[in-house]
Amino acid sequence: MSARNKTGISFFQRMAFKLARLSVIVAFALGLILSLVQVYIDFSQQKQFTGQKVDEIFKVTHNTTQRAIYQLDKDLAKEVLVGLSNVSFLHYVKIVDEEDEILAELTVDRQSSRTDNLTQFLTSETATYESTFLSRRGEYQGRITLIVSSDAALAPFYDRATYIFLSGFLRNFVLSILLLLLFQYFLTRPFINLAEKFQNINPSNPSEDLLLIHDENHKFDEVGYIVNSANILISEILVLNNALEDKVATRTQDLQKALEKLELSQQQLVEKEKMASMGQLIAGLAHEVNTPLGITITATSFLQDLTQDVRKLYSALSLTQQELDSFLHDLEEGLELSVDNLSRASQLIQDFKQVSVKKSLKDIKPLSLKSLIEGVLLKFQQQQHSFNHQLHLSCNDFIVTCDSLAITQILKQLLLNSIVHAFEDNSPGNIHIDVSIDESSVLIHYYDDGVGLSAAHLKTLFDPFFTTKRNAGGTGLGTHVVYNLVTQALGGSIQASSESGGGLAFDIRFPLNNYPT
């Protein structure tokens, strides 16, 4: 049995990361709302506290201020103001007599702070408080006026608000790390381990050592249920395989023909499954994990019942060849269906290997670009039996250092793109490839005279899964692969231009010397 690819799910596509991210977003939203409510209450209380402090100032200075006003004693009034100069939030204070003549005034200069704009947004820049003095007969004698700097008065509030938001952010960050580790340990890891175990099962040659071992932490949950079903199925297969070994040996030729048909059907199912998986990936990887688990449970349960029925027929010596062939056919398909679905999450990632491009030093070498392109065009024409288009190459013979395999793949993909999309109904057309160089780069101008693309389609041409031939089997990965090859393998850039009905053009530019330093 050939080695299968080990499960390799991207960290950002794992269920643990998605669940942790969702939990943190919800916790952050709730925490932000609670923090805002707490900050608003604190803001209101701070304003009330400032008013209370002003009232205390009025009470403490009342007698002295009243005596200064009554006696028109400016020195005493100044002493009152000097005593108030140490109040942190005081901006301006004055004492006036009954004629509103100023006995004393004091202005406290304050430097601007980073919270001035925020203070102006939340409230007024200053707040004015007054205390009026009356004689025993109720006649107006004078007043003291205090103007409070709102920014200075709110300074303690800003400190507390900063602490609230920073502590909330730190709390959510620690929570996200903890949730990620918990989800990874209790959810993602058991399913990945289970998928890897299923990959090692060979339906055509099962053995006792392939029985799945219980993890005590998951003995009674969904993972344990799948393990139990798989073990029962493997055990039944072992019993039936041993009992039928002699009879199967005498009919090897017939079974070989049936096996060839099954392998052909298997290949077709695999191809269909790849296409179906590619489409389902767009709907979300989370759905792709849940769906195959349900299919596997259904398939194993069905095969378990089917195995019991065949075993009864065998025990009663009434098992016919047709029933045996039908059982083996259903058995192979059921096991293949279970393995394919359990490894689908891993398989989806593997399908994108062609999109991921890595530089290979052995393919980067000095070469004649003209000879390379001519060889690619000649081989491509030979492979296309119904090729009826004209190829036009304009390229001088010069040496470049680049990834030859990347150039080959890019040209093949662009040629296929023109044949499939540009020339409908295989109508004849022209494909041009113009190559030029400057001091440090190579420019390949590729264009055809096909149907072209609309402006809307041109914007998404290099996006994965974009295709105008989805109903005809298009995957939408061709131009995306070309884009990755140009930008990653060649370290260059690519641009596309088109007018509907006027053909499609690609301008590819990459360094003349592409050997990595």
Side-chain angles (χ1 to χ4, degrees), residues 292-313:
L293 288 179
I295 295 175
T296 301
I297 293 175
T298 303
T300 52
S301 300
F302 169 74
L303 290 179
Q304 180 181 352
D305 296 338
L306 185 62
T307 302
Q308 293 176 352
D309 293 340
V310 173
R311 187 175 184 182
K312 291 179 182 179
L313 293 175

Side-chain angles (χ1 to χ4, degrees), residues 110-120 125 149-155 158:
R110 299 192 179 277
Q111 297 180 351
S112 60
S113 66
R114 292 177 295 177
T115 58
D116 284 342
N117 293 332
L118 179 59
T119 301
Q120 293 177 10
E125 185 175 359
S149 171
S150 299
D151 185 68
L154 292 176
Y158 289 138

